[in-house]
């Protein structure tokens, strides 16, 4: 298996660094799937086990000036690696003014993603910084665990309020409870609620709008179509997991959406031109 890529454009490098930084705030470890056209960062925490899931998709052509890979085989032309996003983020942050950054799958004392940056200097002598980031190669038999998650058959889909506003609200609510109720309807209304024995606090958002698919239910039809547009669907979630998602955002999405399956899961989606990030937070009783 072989992989090498090169980023020359400074804007692309900065954007790629922001995406990796966002992912590093969401998980300590994840799977990097490399295909001829895309890079995927995957966290498959089983929702049934109370863990969050993540799926981040990047089109390689929008980031890399050069991109070459040979996967497991011609039929299975992919590479799956377990990576620590924080290590990747740290390495990329040291390359921000680089003339060029190369990323290559190498074999040192163990498999590594080697990042090499050619930094600008005042003299004619070039300055090169190299980072070897240990990775683990995922065997072919386990690849099925890291496929794109299906969109759940949600009851309500709604656009999120500005993420910074939402973060400020959640930060304050975290001081009152470990759990938060997210509820929304098909009239563009969303509430964030805290309910304890001592206090009940609700923040209301109106006129957020509902994505077009919210009118026709999700991909396999059903739940949203049967749901009363005025009725609130809700999910009670661990407030720390929602706060973690909001704290890490550096993607600056053009669209931010939320799908809720009643009392089951909150599915958050951030869309940018060349990046999509999905994050699943399971409901708790």
């Amino acid at each position: 298996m072989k992989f090498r890529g090169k980023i020359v454009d400074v804007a692309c490098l900065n954007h790629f660094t922001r995406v990796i930084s966002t992912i590093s705030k969401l998980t300590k470890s994840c799977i990097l799937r490399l295909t001829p056209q895309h890079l995927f960062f995957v966290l498959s925490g089983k929702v049934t086990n109370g863990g969050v899931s993540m799926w981040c998709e990047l089109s390689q052509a929008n980031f890399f000036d050069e991109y070459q890979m040979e996967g497991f085989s011609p039929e299975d032309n992919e590479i799956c690696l377990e990576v620590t996003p924080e290590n990747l983020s740290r390495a990329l942050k040291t390359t921000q003014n680089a003339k060029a950054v190369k990323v290559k799958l190498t074999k040192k004392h163990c498999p590594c993603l080697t990042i090499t940056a050619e930094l600008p200097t005042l003299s004619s002598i070039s300055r090169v910084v190299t980072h070897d980031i240990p990775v683990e190669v995922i065997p072919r038999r386990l690849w099925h665990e890291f496929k794109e998650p299906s969109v759940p058959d949600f009851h309500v889909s709604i656009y999120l309020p500005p993420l910074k506003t939402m973060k400020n609200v959640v930060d304050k609510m975290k001081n009152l409870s470990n759990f938060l109720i997210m509820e929304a309807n098909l009239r563009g209304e969303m509430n964030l609620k805290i309910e304890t024995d001592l206090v009940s606090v609700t923040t209301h958002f109106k006129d957020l709008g509902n994505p077009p698919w919210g009118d026709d239910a999700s991909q396999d039809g059903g739940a949203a179509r049967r749901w009363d547009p005025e009725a609130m669907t809700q999910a009670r979630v661990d407030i720390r997991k929602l706060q973690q998602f909001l704290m890490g955002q550096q993607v600056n999405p053009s669209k931010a959406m939320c799908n809720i399956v009643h009392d089951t899961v909150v599915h958050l989606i951030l869309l940018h031109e060349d990046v999509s990030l999905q994050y699943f937070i399971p409901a708790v009783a």
Side-chain angles (χ1 to χ4, degrees):
M1 293 187 287
K2 298 177 183 177
F3 164 69
R4 60 185 299 150
K6 184 177 181 181
I7 303 176
V8 177
D9 187 281
V10 174
C12 291
L13 178 60
N14 290 341
H15 187 24
F16 188 65
T17 302
R18 284 195 298 272
V19 172
I20 303 302
S21 179
T22 294
I23 292 167
S24 73
K25 299 289 196 301
L26 296 177
T27 178
K28 290 179 180 175
S29 175
C30 68
I31 302 302
L32 169 58
R33 262 183 72 196
L34 300 166
T35 71
Q37 304 301 330
H38 294 91
L39 297 86
F40 304 95
F41 291 89
V42 188
L43 177 66
S44 67
K46 303 290 187 292
V47 170
T48 50
N49 297 335
V52 298
S53 305
M54 177 192 73
W55 177 269
C56 183
E57 181 174 335
L58 288 73
S59 172
Q60 61 88 357
N62 290 323
F63 293 91
F64 288 86
D65 295 270
E66 297 174 17
Y67 184 95
Q68 297 172 316
M69 65 151 293
E70 290 178 22
F72 180 80
S73 69
E75 298 78 32
D76 296 307
N77 193 18
E78 292 187 17
I79 300 172
C80 280
L81 308 170
E82 185 171 0
V83 300
T84 304
E86 177 62 30
N87 292 344
L88 203 52
S89 176
R90 270 202 217 112
L92 287 168
K93 282 174 182 173
T94 67
T95 68
Q96 289 310 283
N97 298 316
K99 296 179 187 175
V101 173
K102 296 176 183 175
V103 186
K104 186 178 181 182
L105 181 61
T106 58
K107 178 79 172 174
K108 304 288 175 90
H109 55 285
C110 66
C112 290
L113 273 179
T114 296
I115 295 179
T116 307
E118 186 184 342
L119 300 177
T121 61
L122 296 174
S123 68
S124 57
I125 302 167
S126 65
R127 194 158 57 106
V128 175
V129 175
T130 301
H131 298 268
D132 291 322
I133 301 166
V135 297
E136 187 176 332
V137 178
I138 303 298
R140 172 68 185 86
R141 69 178 188 280
L142 299 178
W143 286 8
H144 67 277
E145 296 180 20
F146 310 111
K147 297 299 181 188
E148 182 172 7
S150 57
V151 175
D153 187 15
F154 50 77
H155 294 93
V156 167
S157 182
I158 191 167
Y159 290 114
L160 289 172
L163 296 182
K164 192 172 271 189
T165 303
M166 197 170 164
K167 176 184 176 297
N168 291 339
V169 170
V170 172
D171 285 348
K172 290 181 175 67
M173 288 183 164
K174 183 175 177 284
N175 297 323
L176 302 173
S177 174
N178 292 327
F179 301 99
L180 175 144
I181 296 169
M182 291 184 73
E183 61 177 19
N185 63 17
L186 294 171
R187 292 283 185 252
E189 298 169 331
M190 172 183 271
N191 300 328
L192 302 178
K193 297 199 315 191
I194 291 288
E195 291 180 348
T196 71
D197 294 339
L198 298 174
V199 66
S200 177
V201 179
T202 305
T203 299
H204 304 274
F205 297 97
K206 293 185 177 180
D207 302 319
L208 296 175
N210 301 93
W213 65 11
D215 299 331
D216 303 319
S218 59
Q219 291 177 347
D220 53 358
R225 193 176 296 154
R226 296 190 301 269
W227 201 255
D228 178 357
E230 302 284 346
M232 287 289 182
T233 188
Q234 70 173 38
R236 184 172 179 261
V237 297
D238 184 332
I239 199 166
R240 290 166 303 176
K241 290 173 181 170
L242 179 61
Q243 186 186 37
Q244 195 175 24
F245 173 79
L246 295 168
M247 275 174 61
Q249 287 326 309
Q250 297 178 32
V251 176
N252 300 323
S254 53
K255 283 184 182 174
M257 297 177 275
C258 172
N259 299 329
I260 302 177
V261 183
H262 192 68
D263 286 342
T264 305
V265 69
V266 172
H267 174 208
L268 299 158
I269 307 168
L270 303 183
L271 298 177
H272 193 73
E273 308 149 352
D274 41 24
V275 181
S276 71
L277 174 64
Q278 300 181 58
Y279 195 68
F280 297 80
I281 305 176
V284 292

